[in-house]
Amino acid sequence: MAAALESAWQVLIANFTEFQLATVFTFLIHETVFFLSGLPSLLFERFGLFAKYKIQKKSNTSAYQNRCVLRLILYHVCVNLPVMIVSYPAFKFMGLRSSLPLPHWYGIGFLPSPFTQPTYATPFGLTSEYAHPAEILFLGFATVVGPALTGPHLFTVWLWMVLRVLETVEAHSGYHFPWSPSNFLPLYGGSDFHDYHHRVLYTKSGNYASTFVYMDWLFGTDKDYRKVKAIEEKEGKKNM
């Protein structure tokens, strides 16, 4: 596996400059992973699939979904891509490299960036990156500043980006399945936890984390959510 990865990487660095890989390729990888992972929940909601696993019973209209997708494409092309291009010298200054050998698994570290301000009360996967351009810049910075400070290998940046995209899309999917990560990973919030943040968007707030819930527990911003869950569980037992 490692040999195959290094061979593939050799092809990349032999045919493209580091600037092209760090900007255009990073953008294309992000777009591919983001839209492919976010599309299922959009289709589930649009066609009423897996309704029993949907966290909120209300749904977005097709027009609402389409508007979200179009704005996302606009923001990504007009904000994300230029920022990647402009920030390349800073990453390079902090030690970004793309040469072989690839980093060993224990040399890859991750720092979560769990806080965001939602704009959709009923989220679906692609709404995870739907925000004002200024917020996109802030959240993008918060996501990459950890890896950037370590002087990472570009492969590490790509892997980190892919994991973060998959995590945030899952947290905003609007569905909680039996195989959802929060059912297996301790302290992981995921969709079931973070959806509450969107559900009460225009009345109150809480459950800021989309990844790990310990900060919400520490600052007490999950109290209302815990009360709601306790009531739901109690009602569920009565109906059994």
Side-chain angles (χ1 to χ4, degrees):
M1 180 64 176
L5 276 176
E6 295 213 343
S7 296
W9 196 264
Q10 179 62 52
V11 173
L12 284 177
I13 62 177
N15 290 277
F16 300 96
T17 66
E18 184 176 77
F19 174 78
Q20 291 171 329
L21 293 173
T23 56
V24 176
F25 270 70
T26 299
F27 177 77
L28 292 177
I29 291 172
H30 173 274
E31 298 304 290
T32 301
V33 174
F34 175 69
F35 282 103
L36 286 181
S37 62
L39 186 60
S41 64
L42 182 151
L43 295 177
F44 294 163
E45 184 178 53
R46 180 168 297 191
F47 297 108
L49 304 174
F50 300 104
K52 70 176 182 177
Y53 297 116
K54 196 172 188 307
I55 299 170
Q56 297 187 44
K57 299 309 176 185
K58 57 183 178 180
S59 298
N60 296 292
T61 65
S62 296
Y64 208 47
Q65 291 180 333
N66 293 341
R67 185 164 66 250
C68 173
V69 172
L70 289 175
R71 289 185 179 179
L72 279 168
I73 294 172
L74 177 64
Y75 290 164
H76 286 184
V77 173
C78 297
V79 179
N80 291 14
L81 181 57
V83 168
M84 289 179 185
I85 293 173
V86 172
S87 62
Y88 171 73
F91 267 77
K92 190 64 179 174
F93 175 77
M94 288 186 282
L96 178 72
R97 65 184 181 86
S98 59
S99 58
L100 288 172
L102 293 176
H104 198 274
W105 66 267
Y106 58 71
I108 301 176
F110 304 111
L111 298 173
S113 173
F115 299 102
T116 182
Q117 176 60 41
T119 53
Y120 271 72
T122 309
F124 53 93
L126 295 179
T127 62
S128 58
E129 293 192 5
Y130 185 89
H132 187 278
E135 186 179 351
I136 292 174
L137 290 174
F138 174 78
L139 293 177
F141 172 78
T143 298
V144 301
V145 66
L149 291 174
T150 66
H153 193 282
L154 182 58
F155 180 80
T156 303
V157 175
W158 285 358
L159 181 58
W160 164 242
M161 178 182 67
V162 168
L163 290 176
R164 285 292 291 132
V165 167
L166 293 176
E167 177 275 320
T168 193
V169 167
E170 190 279 328
H172 291 84
S173 67
Y175 291 82
H176 183 69
F177 297 103
W179 55 85
S180 293
S182 57
N183 293 329
F184 308 100
L185 300 178
L187 299 179
Y188 183 84
S191 58
D192 185 51
F193 183 84
H194 190 66
D195 194 89
Y196 178 81
H197 183 53
H198 293 260
R199 198 187 321 170
V200 299
L201 177 61
Y202 300 111
T203 56
K204 51 188 175 181
S205 196
N207 285 28
Y208 297 100
S210 64
T211 312
F212 298 109
V213 303
Y214 59 88
M215 293 298 286
D216 281 294
W217 174 82
L218 182 63
F219 290 100
T221 50
D222 63 346
K223 288 182 178 179
D224 290 333
Y225 165 76
R226 301 297 177 191
K227 291 178 183 177
V228 170
K229 291 296 290 184
I231 294 173
E232 290 178 350
E233 289 178 6
K234 188 175 181 180
E235 292 179 345
K237 290 179 180 179
K238 286 183 179 180
N239 296 328
M240 289 180 64

